[in-house]
């Protein structure tokens, strides 16, 4: 039994797509979220810079005495996971290995598409992991950085969102895939638009589901679940404009059990 919080980080609202699943699957865990909106977006930064930012947040979580850290950001996972795992005194869970595993578990996974930020795709983070697990799969990668801004600016469900998804995913008209990895935590909030563009025959994989399964397995194995009977209040921090985080949380979270505040790191 361990009542300490779990630290979760992202560059912005994408982290909420992971918190949403945490709240469903592990509702008794207290979460401390850092949305690094003061440095948004991560996807156009160098990996070295993203690694530095992620480490800084890891240090904050250390001061908060968390029992685990979830990097709810594919870009930061690709740039910083091994460094965080080496330097932090708690387990650190990323998005990419769980996302690749989740895709390979689908019934039809001969051709797998990956959409992510400019950085995640340029570094072939998913392609490398998928081929490490199964050399026979075909991988079609597409950077879709403009979709990140659509979500961060609260423009999902608009005509602009639909147009941008259609443009960004046009590559899959020529190179169809059976399964698509949503390789950026902002993208599950555009799942409806993405599914409409690709058709129902394509399976969308949200890496957060497998990542949360991994977190749950670790907590059970190490007898570290929070045994409280009441769902504890989580803290959501933004290093940028807290009003943006608050609006995102109101729109996307399935719980009101949190407080929002600005964080200077
Ligand atoms: N949500 C993040 C990811 O999963 C990063 C988006 C960005 O800041 O560019 O990659």
């Amino acid at each position: 039994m361990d009542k300490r919080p779990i630290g979760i980080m992202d560059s912005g609202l994408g982290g909420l797509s992971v918190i949403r699943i945490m709240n469903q699957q592990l509702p008794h865990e207290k979460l401390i979220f850092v949305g690094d909106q003061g440095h948004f977006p991560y996807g156009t930064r160098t990996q070295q810079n993203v690694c530095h930012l992620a480490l800084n947040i890891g240090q904050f979580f250390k001061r908060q005495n968390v029992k685990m850290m979830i990097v709810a950001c594919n870009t930061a996972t690709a740039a910083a996971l091994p460094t965080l795992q080496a330097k932090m005194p708690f387990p650190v869970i990323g998005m990419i290995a769980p996302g690749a595993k989740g895709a390979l578990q689908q019934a039809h996974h001969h051709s797998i598409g990956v959409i992510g930020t400019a950085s995640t795709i340029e570094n072939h983070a998913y392609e490398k992991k998928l081929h490490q697990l199964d050399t026979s799969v075909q991988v079609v990668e597409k950077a879709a950085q403009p979709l990140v801004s659509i979500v961060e600016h609260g423009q999902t469900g608009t005509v602009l969102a639909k147009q941008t998804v259609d443009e960004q995913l046009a590559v899959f008209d020529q190179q169809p895939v059976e399964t698509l990895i949503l390789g950026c935590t902002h993208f599950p909030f555009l799942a409806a638009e993405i599914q409409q563009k690709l058709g129902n025959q394509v399976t969308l994989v949200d890496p957060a589901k497998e990542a949360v399964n991994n977190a749950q397995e670790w907590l059970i194995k190490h007898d570290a679940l929070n045994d409280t009977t009441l769902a504890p209040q989580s803290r959501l921090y933004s290093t940028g404009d807290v009003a943006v985080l608050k609006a995102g949380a109101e729109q996307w979270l399935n719980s009101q059990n949190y407080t929002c505040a600005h964080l200077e790191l």
Side-chain angles (χ1 to χ4, degrees), residues 89 156 223:
T156 57
D223 193 21

Side-chain angles (χ1 to χ4, degrees), residues 123-144:
N123 289 293
H124 305 291
Y126 272 101
E127 189 187 39
K128 285 181 203 157
K129 183 49 79 181
L130 285 163
H131 282 152
Q132 199 180 314
L133 297 170
D134 182 345
T135 49
S136 72
V137 288
Q138 278 171 18
V139 182
V140 181
E141 297 173 291
K142 173 70 175 73

Side-chain angles (χ1 to χ4, degrees), residues 75-123:
T75 310
T77 300
L81 188 67
T83 312
L84 284 165
Q85 286 174 331
K87 297 205 163 168
M88 295 299 136
F90 37 72
V92 185
I93 292 179
M95 292 290 126
I96 290 170
K101 220 175 111 198
L104 293 171
Q105 281 164 0
Q106 301 307 315
H108 302 285
H109 64 255
H110 183 64
S111 53
I112 298 176
V114 184
I115 51 173
T117 63
S119 171
T120 302
I121 300 301
E122 270 160 27
N123 289 293

Side-chain angles (χ1 to χ4, degrees), residues 22-38:
M22 285 294 285
N23 285 346
Q24 277 161 13
Q25 210 160 313
L26 293 166
H28 298 295
E29 295 302 327
K30 182 182 167 82
L31 310 178
I32 299 182
F33 173 65
V34 176
D36 197 6
Q37 293 169 309

Side-chain angles (χ1 to χ4, degrees), residues 10-11 14 40-44 72-75 117 120 145 148 183-186:
D10 182 37
S11 63
F40 173 87
Y42 276 7
T44 51
C73 174
N74 294 264
T75 310
T117 63
T120 302
Q145 191 70 39
V148 179
C184 168
T185 51
H186 282 71

